[in-house]
Amino acid sequence: MLALSAHGDSRKPALVMLHGFLGSKNDWDTVLPSLLSHFYCICIDLPGHGQSSALPWGSSGFEQISNAIQTRLNSLSIGKYHLLGYSLGGRIALHLAQAYPDNLLSLSLESSHPGLQSIAERQTRARSDHSWSEKLSSIPIESFLSQWYQQGVFAELTDSKRQALIRKRSSNNSEVLLTVFEPTSLAKQKDLWQLPNQLQLPCHYFVGADDAKFSALASRWASQANIQVHAIVDAGHNVHLASPTLFCQQLIKHLIEDAQ
């Protein structure tokens, strides 16, 4: 069973929050104080992260995780909920929304990819992720993290912030992470670019204005699907960490105030 933490008044609308790769349910701690006036916040540890167990080898990845999340929410008698996912958590949120659309009140994604659209892209990504997987299995976690956070998507990080992240993520277990890394590779993700057009609910995309790659992706997605893009100034890939106040203000505005 997936580990989670529940915060606030259970009579308020539920907001289910999914962290990114290498993170945990505690990654949302900085935004919880602002959100609890409006939501009952459910922060989930994804498989292989935090206090949740590893993903069984040979599993179906996105499908199995989506089913596990919905089963866990059912155990809490949470019928309808807002869904928020960051990065990997957002990609899982897309699959969860596709599988259980009737349970959602809204879908909010932060710096997440809707899926690769060509075989060539998938093959390239599969090779890249397999290379990262081999590193994860063969070098100390600190060395892996040092290389991981040198990727272009983290270019906005200062050296001090990069080192702080490495220290924070060093408690992760490489063997456990390996069970979820390739099964949730972007190479194995569905093409879900058109999902917002199929959902009868509000869809929002939050992106850091300093994140050039995902800002371009967000603009492209909004041009072909019913998803509202919200660019947050002075933020890169991890919007809710870089600018928690503005992120919360925008999330509350669009999920609560605009719906009234």
Side-chain angles (χ1 to χ4, degrees):
M1 184 173 287
L2 296 177
L4 59 77
S5 58
H7 308 265
D9 185 347
S10 61
R11 294 169 297 181
K12 296 183 183 297
L15 173 63
V16 176
M17 309 166 77
L18 307 179
H19 62 78
F21 179 60
L22 298 168
S24 75
K25 59 183 179 296
N26 298 326
D27 285 5
W28 301 105
D29 286 353
T30 55
V31 297
L32 286 176
S34 298
L35 297 177
L36 291 180
S37 296
H38 303 274
F39 303 105
Y40 177 50
C41 295
I42 310 296
C43 305
I44 295 178
D45 275 339
L46 296 176
H49 294 76
Q51 296 174 309
S52 289
S53 59
L55 194 66
W57 285 102
S59 69
S60 55
F62 291 103
E63 180 181 354
Q64 182 166 342
I65 295 174
S66 296
N67 291 340
I69 292 172
Q70 188 56 53
T71 297
R72 190 70 172 94
L73 295 174
N74 290 343
S75 74
L76 299 177
S77 299
I78 295 176
K80 293 274 192 176
Y81 54 90
H82 297 283
L83 181 59
L84 167 64
Y86 161 66
S87 196
L88 169 61
R91 297 194 289 113
I92 290 170
L94 281 164
H95 289 78
L96 182 59
Q98 184 185 50
Y100 300 99
D102 293 340
N103 293 91
L104 268 62
L105 297 169
S106 69
L107 174 63
S108 294
L109 307 169
E110 178 189 345
S111 306
S112 300
H113 203 298
L116 300 175
Q117 296 182 293
S118 74
I119 294 176
E121 286 178 312
R122 290 179 182 277
Q123 291 175 336
T124 299
R125 181 57 181 245
R127 287 193 295 269
S128 174
D129 281 352
H130 185 66
S131 176
W132 279 112
S133 183
E134 289 184 327
K135 291 179 182 179
L136 184 58
S137 66
S138 62
I139 63 177
I141 186 66
E142 293 84 0
S143 299
F144 172 84
L145 293 170
S146 180
Q147 295 182 43
W148 182 262
Y149 287 117
Q150 291 294 334
Q151 294 182 92
V153 72
F154 302 113
E156 83 281 355
L157 292 175
T158 63
D159 286 341
S160 60
K161 289 182 178 179
R162 185 174 291 106
Q163 291 304 314
L165 269 176
I166 292 171
R167 290 192 297 271
K168 182 178 181 180
R169 303 306 193 199
S170 292
S171 60
N172 277 289
N173 183 306
S174 296
E175 292 184 4
V176 177
L177 287 174
L178 282 168
T179 68
V180 72
F181 183 67
E182 287 194 84
T184 58
S185 167
L186 186 57
K188 296 182 179 179
Q189 179 178 324
K190 294 179 181 178
D191 174 356
L192 295 174
W193 284 78
Q194 294 303 313
L195 181 63
N197 294 334
Q198 301 159 12
L199 298 173
Q200 302 300 312
L201 49 86
C203 296
H204 299 275
Y205 192 99
F206 296 86
V207 64
D210 296 337
D211 185 346
K213 176 180 177 180
F214 280 84
S215 291
L217 183 149
S219 297
R220 179 185 163 201
W221 199 3
S223 71
Q224 58 185 270
N226 185 26
I227 187 166
Q228 297 183 51
V229 173
H230 313 286
I232 307 299
V233 298
D234 297 325
H237 193 64
N238 193 328
V239 183
H240 70 269
L241 179 63
S243 187
T245 300
L246 188 54
F247 175 81
C248 289
Q249 289 174 346
Q250 290 295 309
L251 186 69
I252 293 166
K253 171 179 170 54
H254 295 295
L255 299 193
I256 299 296
E257 297 174 5
D258 287 357
Q260 294 176 346

